[in-house]
Amino acid sequence: MLSSACQYGLRAMIYLAQQPGDAYLPVRRISSTLDVSHPFLAKILQQLVVKDLLVSLRGPSGGVKLARASTDIRLNDIVLAIDGQKVFDSCVLGLPGCGHRRPCPMHEAWGELRSNFCSMLEETTLAAFAERTEVGGFRLTPM
Amino acid sequence: MLSSACQYGLRAMIYLAQQPGDAYLPVRRISSTLDVSHPFLAKILQQLVVKDLLVSLRGPSGGVKLARASTDIRLNDIVLAIDGQKVFDSCVLGLPGCGHRRPCPMHEAWGELRSNFCSMLEETTLAAFAERTEVGGFRLTPM
DNA sequence: TATATTGAGGACAAGAGAGTCTTAATTCAA
DNA sequence: TTGAATTAAGACTCTCTTGTCCTCAATATA
Ligand code: SF4
Ligand code: SF4
C-alpha cells in the first residue's frame, strides 16, 4: 500500500512532532531511535525538505525540524510528497484508467475503501497523531 | 496492495468463470484476451493448478478450467494462493508484529479498513463477480 | 502410430525498490 | 582560523518482482 520509504517518512515526521521546543534534530538521532538505516532515512527526509515539509540546517547543532506547526501538517502531505498521487488512484485489479468509465464489478466496494483511506490521511494531523502516540503509550518502533 | 501476478490471476479466474460449458481453455487464449504476457500468465496459473483452484490438461484441446463450481471459489482463495497471508496482515506504518500489543495510533482506523477489504474478498464468489461483469457491461481489460 | 498442440518447469534478463557508500558543501564552536 | 559535525548529492550494490525464452512431457486427433 505505502512504500517503505513512505512508512519511514511518516514515522520520522511523527517522531519530530513529538519533540518539544524548536531545535533542529540530527537525522542520525532520528534514525537510531526509529531503528532504520541512517543513509536511507536521510535520503527520504531530503525529499521532505524539498517539498517544504521540513527545514534543515547543516553543521554542528544542525539537523532537521518541521517547517510548519504540527497542527498544520497532515499525513496526506507526507504520503503525497514521497509516494505521489498514485497511491490514491490505485486499483484492486490494476486496470489503467480505472473507474472513469465502465468500472469493474469491484469498483463500488473498492472505491469506498479507497476513499475512506484517503479521508483518514487527509483528516489526521501530525499533532493529533503525536498526541495519541504519547497519551496512549503507542509505539513507533518495532519493539 | 495486490501484486501484479495476483491481479492477473484474478482477472483470468473471472474470465474463466464467465465461460459457458465445461471445456478446457488454452492459456494462450486467456492471455491474449486479457492482454497480458502469455509466459507470465502461464506461470501464475500454474500456481493456481498446484493449489487446486484450476485443473489443466496438456495436448490439443487442452488448457485450463476451474477445478470447482464458480459459486464455490472466492476471491480470497485466489489472493491467498498467489500473494499469501501477508496481504491480510499488512500495516500502514510497516511495523512488525502489528496490532498484537501496543498498536500504533492509526490502528483503529486502519484495522477497520483492512478487515473491510478482507471481508470483501471473502464474501465475493467468482460466480457473483462474473455475473456482475456480464450484466453491467464491466470490463476486465484496459480498453 | 505420427504429429501437432498444449501445459510444466527451469534458466535467464530487465526493472524497480531498498539500502549503502563516498565526496562535497555548509555551519557552528573552540 | 581551524576542525568537527552535519546535511546534500549522486553513484553504486542488492534483492525481489516482473517478464522472457527454451526445452521437455503429455495427449488428443488424424
Ligand atoms: S473499476 Fe475501480 S475497482 Fe475496478 S479495477 Fe478500476 S479502480 Fe479498481
Ligand atoms: S498498530 Fe495497526 S495500524 Fe499501527 S502499524 Fe500496526 S497494524 Fe498498522
Side-chain angles (χ1 to χ4, degrees), chain B residues 1 23 27 30-31 33 42 44 66 83 87-88 103-104 125-126:
Chain B
M1 197 83 182
V27 175
I30 306 175
S31 67
T33 304
I44 295 163
L66 298 183
D83 274 354
V87 177
F88 306 113
C104 86
T125 65
L126 270 188

Side-chain angles (χ1 to χ4, degrees), chain A residues 89-111 114, chain B residues 120 129 138-139:
Chain A
D89 299 337
S90 73
C91 165
V92 193
L93 293 186
L95 298 176
C98 208
H100 295 314
R101 28 172 248 183
R102 289 207 298 149
C104 86
M106 236 172 195
H107 191 72
E108 195 179 344
W110 171 253
R114 194 172 62 177
Chain B
M120 181 177 78
F129 204 113
F138 291 130
R139 69 202 175 110

Side-chain angles (χ1 to χ4, degrees), chain A residues 75 102-103 105-106 138-139, chain B residues 75 102-103 106 133 138-139:
Chain A
L75 300 187
R102 289 207 298 149
M106 236 172 195
F138 291 129
R139 69 200 176 114
Chain B
L75 301 187
R102 291 206 299 149
M106 237 172 195
T133 304
F138 291 130
R139 69 202 175 110

Side-chain angles (χ1 to χ4, degrees), chain A residues 11 20 40 58-59 68 81 83-85 90 106 109 112-113 143:
Chain A
R11 282 159 63 188
F40 193 36
R58 308 194 216 195
R68 309 198 293 268
D83 274 354
Q85 182 62 34
S90 73
M106 236 172 195
E112 191 183 335
L113 281 177
M143 280 305 125

Side-chain angles (χ1 to χ4, degrees), chain A residues 106-127:
Chain A
M106 236 172 195
H107 191 72
E108 195 179 344
W110 171 253
E112 191 183 335
L113 281 177
R114 194 172 62 177
S115 97
N116 285 344
F117 181 66
C118 295
S119 305
M120 182 176 79
L121 294 180
E122 273 165 19
E123 287 163 10
T124 310
T125 65
L126 270 188

Side-chain angles (χ1 to χ4, degrees), chain A residues 120 129 138-139, chain B residues 89-111 114:
Chain A
M120 182 176 79
F129 204 115
F138 291 129
R139 69 200 176 114
Chain B
D89 299 337
S90 71
C91 164
V92 192
L93 293 186
L95 298 175
C98 208
H100 295 314
R101 31 173 245 180
R102 291 206 299 149
C104 86
M106 237 172 195
H107 190 71
E108 194 179 345
W110 171 252
R114 193 172 62 177

